[in-house]
Amino acid sequence: MALCSSEQMRRWSGPALLSYGFRPFFLFGALWAALAMPVWIAALSGDLELPSRFDPVTWHAHEFLFGYLGAILAGFLLTAVPNWTGRLPLVGWRLGGLFALWVAGRVSVLFSASLPLGAAAAVDLAFPIVLGGVILREIIAGQNWRNLIVLAMLAVFTLANGVFHLEALVDGFAAQGLGLRLGLATAVMMIVVIGGRIVPSFTRNWLVKQGSDVRPAPPMQRFDKFVLLTTVAVLLLWSFWPEEAGVGGLLIGLALLHVARLWRWKGTHTLAEPLLSVLHASYALIPLGALALGASILGVGAGQAAAQHIWMAGAIGAMTLAVMTRATLGHTGRALKADGPTLAIYLSLFGSVIARWLAGEVPVCLEISAVLWVTAFGGFALRYGAALVRPKPPIEG
């Protein structure tokens, strides 16, 4: 009889990096985000020719949205599944095999010019498809049907990646196509759904420990469900009709709904703990991005590309770093407290987003944004790399 997952974890004597899903995917996802940025800047300036079928902008957009985020989603899901189902998923060389699929996707996309047409897409899509199969197996085994929504979002995210590859093969430039918008919309929806669970829950737990009488609104009340359904509808409309003035107005209305939702979570009472307040600040980029995007569609402010970066680099980048730091501390037996380097990681990411927004008017801000981006994700790898590759310290009795 096959060993159960918990027994496998106890008996696993290989690298600690393969003892839990968040370890390889958080570490190498962050390293990829840090390394890919200077590669893109060099390719954009003409100092480097990418060996990819993708143009530099298309490669950059794909490798952050589907490459980096794909890794972080895997790390998060493989870590969250035990809490959902009471089971533990991949460990050891099976986890290593899934990680190798992700690496193969990054290599195949980067060197796709040397591969047969469509080969890079096939290799790249293998990773999220296998990941989806793993998550589906765990949900079925644990009969945890309420989390099928997360699997459904992963399926749409994978479909969006396939559409992105198809658009790149047919039109050459997919950085502003349906695949990217659908993938970005799905990523935003994941933050809305998962963030809507963890942000008020973590906030409540912390406030209770502080002895505060303040309480955030419980997750998934009637108002939350209304916001979720509205968000799905508006994001779908934007994905397929991104230039329609009516969609721009709906995005602005959606921003107001999310401001109200965020206000109910009492984030202003969490400023004393950056590890928690950064979750609120990251979620705030959802309504800010919707507002900027809606305004750009109506001809106000910067263009859609700049507005999308508030979601792409801002909401996704900040929320993933917030979750990665918290999960790494918690699952490696360390105190849930943000130190100086962690605060610097957060500030660098937010600074990068601001500089990217200003780059349209001040070109040098693009390089400043890139430096701050590398500082944020490289900083995560430096600060948390040791914890991710070493065994969890024993509990002192």
Side-chain angles (χ1 to χ4, degrees):
M1 181 180 293
L3 292 171
C4 68
S5 297
S6 58
E7 184 69 14
Q8 286 177 313
M9 288 192 69
R10 286 193 293 269
R11 295 193 180 188
W12 172 246
S13 59
L17 188 68
L18 299 180
S19 65
Y20 221 133
F22 71 92
R23 291 177 179 270
F25 287 110
F26 283 5
L27 177 58
F28 287 93
L31 285 172
W32 182 238
L35 293 172
M37 180 60 77
V39 171
W40 174 61
I41 292 294
L44 200 62
S45 65
D47 295 331
L48 174 69
E49 184 175 351
L50 291 178
S52 175
R53 293 185 186 273
F54 290 178
D55 65 87
V57 175
T58 298
W59 179 79
H60 168 68
H62 181 272
E63 286 308 290
F64 176 69
L65 182 59
F66 297 109
Y68 163 77
L69 184 55
I72 307 310
L73 281 175
F76 173 80
L77 290 174
L78 294 175
T79 304
V81 160
N83 295 327
W84 297 347
T85 65
R87 291 166 49 86
L88 293 173
L90 296 184
V91 64
W93 300 120
R94 291 189 298 165
L95 173 60
L98 184 61
F99 174 67
L101 270 182
W102 176 79
V103 173
R106 312 287 57 77
V107 173
S108 64
V109 170
L110 180 59
F111 294 96
S112 55
S114 303
L115 299 176
L117 195 67
V123 175
D124 186 40
L125 290 170
F127 167 70
I129 290 172
V130 173
L131 174 63
V134 170
I135 302 304
L136 177 61
R137 181 198 68 187
E138 295 300 314
I139 288 176
I140 292 174
Q143 298 185 2
N144 189 258
W145 311 119
R146 67 186 293 265
N147 283 300
L148 281 174
I149 185 176
V150 178
L151 185 63
M153 289 189 291
L154 178 61
V156 176
F157 189 69
T158 305
L159 173 64
N161 192 3
V163 172
F164 189 103
H165 276 285
L166 181 61
E167 289 176 325
L169 289 175
V170 173
D171 299 325
F173 185 78
Q176 290 297 322
L178 172 61
L180 181 129
R181 290 193 302 275
L182 189 59
L184 178 55
T186 308
V188 169
M189 197 65 213
M190 289 179 180
I191 294 173
V192 170
V193 172
I194 298 172
R197 295 180 184 178
I198 66 174
V199 177
S201 296
F202 291 163
T203 300
R204 182 188 184 282
N205 294 342
W206 185 80
L207 289 171
V208 168
K209 289 182 179 179
Q210 301 307 306
S212 172
D213 294 329
V214 176
R215 296 290 182 271
M220 297 313 295
Q221 291 184 327
R222 186 174 300 175
F223 176 73
D224 288 280
K225 293 177 182 178
F226 173 72
V227 174
L228 292 180
L229 291 174
T230 304
T231 304
V232 170
V234 174
L235 289 177
L236 280 174
L237 288 171
W238 171 70
S239 297
F240 287 93
W241 296 282
E243 304 293 339
E244 294 294 326
V247 174
L250 289 172
L251 282 164
I252 293 173
L254 184 67
L256 297 177
L257 282 177
H258 281 284
V259 168
R261 190 188 195 207
L262 182 61
W263 183 256
R264 288 156 51 90
W265 295 341
K266 309 299 182 183
T268 54
H269 295 270
T270 68
L271 299 180
E273 180 45 68
L275 201 69
L276 184 57
S277 58
V278 71
L279 290 169
H280 292 264
S282 301
Y283 194 93
L285 293 171
I286 297 294
L288 183 60
L291 178 63
L293 197 55
S296 70
I297 293 173
L298 297 176
V300 180
Q304 282 207 46
Q308 284 177 199
H309 271 82
I310 298 178
W311 277 349
M312 182 97 84
I316 295 174
M319 186 59 80
T320 52
L321 276 174
V323 170
M324 289 156 64
T325 50
R326 186 182 186 91
T328 301
L329 289 172
H331 286 280
T332 59
R334 290 161 172 83
L336 290 176
K337 187 76 176 176
D339 58 8
T342 301
L343 183 58
I345 290 168
Y346 299 154
L347 293 176
S348 295
L349 190 283
F350 285 107
S352 176
V353 175
I354 294 171
R356 180 61 182 82
W357 175 262
L358 297 173
E361 299 296 330
V362 186
V364 71
C365 283
L366 183 62
E367 284 74 21
I368 294 174
S369 176
V371 170
L372 290 172
W373 180 271
V374 172
T375 301
F377 287 95
F380 173 84
L382 288 173
R383 171 63 183 85
Y384 290 91
L388 290 168
V389 300
R390 292 175 181 168
K392 182 177 179 178
I395 299 176
E396 295 183 2

